[in-house]
Amino acid sequence: MARKEIPIEELSIDPAVIDVLKLAKEKEYETVWDRLKRQSPHCKFGVQGVCCRNCIMGPCRITEKTPRGVCGADASVIVSRNLIRALAAGAAAHSDHGRAVAVLFNEVAHEENQDYRITDEAKLKAVAKRLGVDTEKPILEIAKEVAAQALADFGKQDEKALNFLKAYAPSKRKETWQKLEEALFSQTGKKMGVLPRNIDREVTECMHRTTMGVDNDAVSLLIHGVRTALADGWGGSLIATELQDVLFGTPNKKTIRANLGVLSKDKVNIIVHGHEPILSEQVVEAAMSEEMQQKAKQAGAKGINVAGICCTANEVLMRRGVPVAGNMIHQELAIMTGAVEAMVVDVQCIFPALGRLAKCFHTQFISTSDRARFPGAVHIQFDEKRARETARKIVETAIEAFPKRDKSKVHIPGVVAEAVVGFSVEEILNMLGGSPKPLVDAILEGKIKGVVGIVGCNNPKVKHDSFHIALTKELIKRDILVIGTGCWAIAAAKAGLMQLQTQELAGEGLKAVCKLLEIPPVLHMGSCVDCSRMLVLAGALADYLKVDISDLPLVGSAPEWMTEKAVSIGTYFVASGVPVHLWPAPPIGGSPEVGHILTETIKDLLGGYFFVEEDPQKTAEIMENIILEKRKAF
Ligand code: SF4
Ligand code: MSK
């Protein structure tokens, strides 16, 4: 049955979105919701994960009447293969981002790039110390050794675990992974590695194992999925976060503005969208320069306004306080305001639909990465070695578009909220006086019952931001601290949940702690790769208490997820010992065996597990029960 017409008010809880959607309807601009409607109903084989097209004897679809593909693969093998292929794609996305940062950092260490520098020497020394690098040396010598270890994690060929995982994962968790490898071998007689050896290798091996006629054992496939996800969380994503902090500064507490109302009616608006701060840092820098501000004035504007969308937004708001125009679903709506001179994109979560839409306006849709091309985009190749020059060219292109703005088309919703952001692990520890003890004490005393980390996306199948916000409010009411990243964090910022006044929505215990620390009960920890910050925080608490992460009252959630990256994130949290909630349901319904492994069997192996729930209220109840159960053994 086709998806029925849903009233505009039912598509989002964000008034700015509703406002622009009404305009879209009137002007017949196409949106993500229109395309979802046309794509519905979705293919049930795809939804259940039982369609395989891994070789050309197929595609094969599993039903009761056809329980095996042409090669003989059954539903469990096909579902597992599809799942870990998605996971590998997600891990690859985060890790390719991490590689770009590691390569740039190596160039800076070797003085081969004059456009970037080491901004945060204290963070560099902290990273070096973890990696066992002598920190008494000159800064660039330390940087060279850190860079060598980071790059080795992408290319070393030995069987040892990743350098960054060994340096950052808490002791008990490393023992858990080691013991699991031994137990799997003794119970099955099959060697199944859990500890990742090399980020690229684990992704490649996922692809190899899932080709026709290689790994045809659901457990073995899923365990390799765990290994690949760990290579992302404690490898690629962590390297991205840590080295970005060294290059651009470790985030600290600051107040920012969020939602489409941050766009200016009389300035040149540049939106940076995607994921990598390497480019956006330079665009912000160039836009702030006196020369570019003057050029904008000569073009008739009052100046230049840079705002972000998606995780590029999270990167520049955490470090520089740049305002955020919205989360993933805002990308088309921002252009529809008619006030965006340039939509500058790098990689990931960028709709290919933007090219066609931008042509209805004066907006320059500028792609910048040789890995990410889009129909209808102007391509300005970003070259790290000529970063300032490229950033200036991008800003100039935006300025040149300003006089072409059609004022009659400008429609900026006056919706904006303030948010307190910038909660890196360093900033959290700093506020706690340098040690996790006050947080641990608050948890032990029950003022804070536990912590939930919420991540991820928007998905038009879910009323935009509704699950994010309802779940967050429900949790803080129950004295559960909420931390998170990605488009959830932008949703929370837009909804005003990151203001200090939100303390009043929290339970008495959490409220008292937040008042003492002058923080909201909902903490923005950054972008998608910054999910690694949550792992590091969990690791710090576990090591402080000399327990495993799975002993802590922590739960994760991806309540409006859509990307393959979320499959990897969810899996590395589960593999690190954290129960993880998902909505929408992942495409595994075609195999009860795989469902059972991921929701039950895995509990005994890793401590973490997945659960699926559609209702935010019930999700909060389940999470509280998990937390209360964990607290009993605490
Ligand atoms: Fe069909 Fe097997 Fe080929 Fe998949 S790998 S398409 S199940 S024959
Ligand atoms: S941007 S991965 S929609 S969080 Fe990281 Fe948002 Fe999800 Fe993209």
Side-chain angles (χ1 to χ4, degrees), residues 346-391:
D346 48 55
V347 291
Q348 302 168 23
C349 301
I350 302 146
F351 291 164
L354 294 189
R356 247 160 51 100
L357 178 64
K359 295 242 177 296
C360 303
F361 298 88
H362 70 303
T363 307
Q364 296 291 296
F365 175 38
I366 303 174
S367 59
T368 58
S369 168
D370 50 12
R371 290 167 293 178
R373 303 290 183 127
F374 297 86
V378 178
H379 190 76
I380 302 180
Q381 180 60 47
F382 181 63
D383 173 0
E384 287 83 351
K385 290 229 166 76
R386 293 184 300 113
R388 286 190 197 140
E389 192 187 321
T390 323

Side-chain angles (χ1 to χ4, degrees), residues 57-211:
M57 290 193 286
C60 301
R61 299 175 306 178
I62 301 302
T63 65
E64 268 181 28
K65 284 190 185 145
T66 58
R68 291 181 189 277
V70 177
C71 68
D74 65 12
S76 294
V77 168
I78 291 173
V79 167
S80 319
R81 284 200 304 218
N82 288 341
L83 187 69
I84 78 163
R85 276 204 168 195
L87 187 156
H94 288 146
S95 300
D96 212 29
H97 169 168
R99 180 206 323 280
V101 181
V103 168
L104 173 62
F105 177 70
N106 188 52
E107 285 174 10
V108 172
H110 287 86
E111 296 178 90
E112 290 165 4
N113 188 316
Q114 307 309 319
D115 285 7
Y116 296 89
R117 64 191 176 85
I118 289 165
T119 301
D120 192 338
E121 292 188 3
K123 175 87 187 219
L124 173 61
K125 287 187 178 172
V127 176
K129 200 165 158 219
R130 281 187 183 262
L131 291 165
V133 173
D134 173 11
T135 54
E136 296 303 314
K137 297 175 181 178
I139 279 297
L140 287 183
E141 293 307 309
I142 299 172
K144 280 179 200 161
E145 288 195 34
V146 168
Q149 291 207 33
L151 291 174
D153 278 349
F154 289 94
K156 70 187 185 60
Q157 298 301 321
D158 61 42
E159 296 295 312
K160 292 185 195 137
L162 297 180
N163 297 317
F164 271 71
L165 177 138
K166 283 192 289 186
Y168 279 77
S171 310
K172 296 268 184 196
R173 186 55 14 187
K174 283 186 276 192
E175 282 171 24
T176 303
W177 292 325
Q178 192 70 48
K179 282 186 194 149
L180 177 58
E181 284 189 356
E182 290 157 12
L184 286 168
F185 185 65
S186 69
Q187 282 166 23
T188 65
K190 296 174 199 162
K191 192 170 168 233
M192 287 189 245
V194 175
L195 285 157
R197 303 150 293 184
N198 156 340
I199 299 157
D200 291 349
R201 178 175 178 177
E202 307 315 347
V203 172
T204 302
E205 198 172 305
C206 264
M207 300 310 289
H208 179 189
R209 282 173 183 249
T210 52
T211 52

Side-chain angles (χ1 to χ4, degrees), residues 274-275 310-311 328 348-349 455-458 485-488 527-528 562-563 565:
H275 280 77
C310 276
C311 282
M328 196 277 288
Q348 302 168 23
C349 301
V455 304
C457 315
N458 298 133
T485 62
C487 288
W488 165 81
S527 65
C528 293
M562 62 93 194
T563 65
K565 292 178 283 177

Side-chain angles (χ1 to χ4, degrees), residues 443-444 449 545-553 625-634:
I443 295 174
L444 288 172
K449 285 185 193 146
L545 285 161
K546 299 192 172 49
V547 297
D548 196 347
I549 293 177
S550 54
D551 299 322
L552 299 170
N625 288 337
I626 295 171
I627 282 170
L628 293 177
E629 204 53 43
K630 297 236 179 201
R631 291 183 61 86
K632 281 188 200 157
F634 207 44

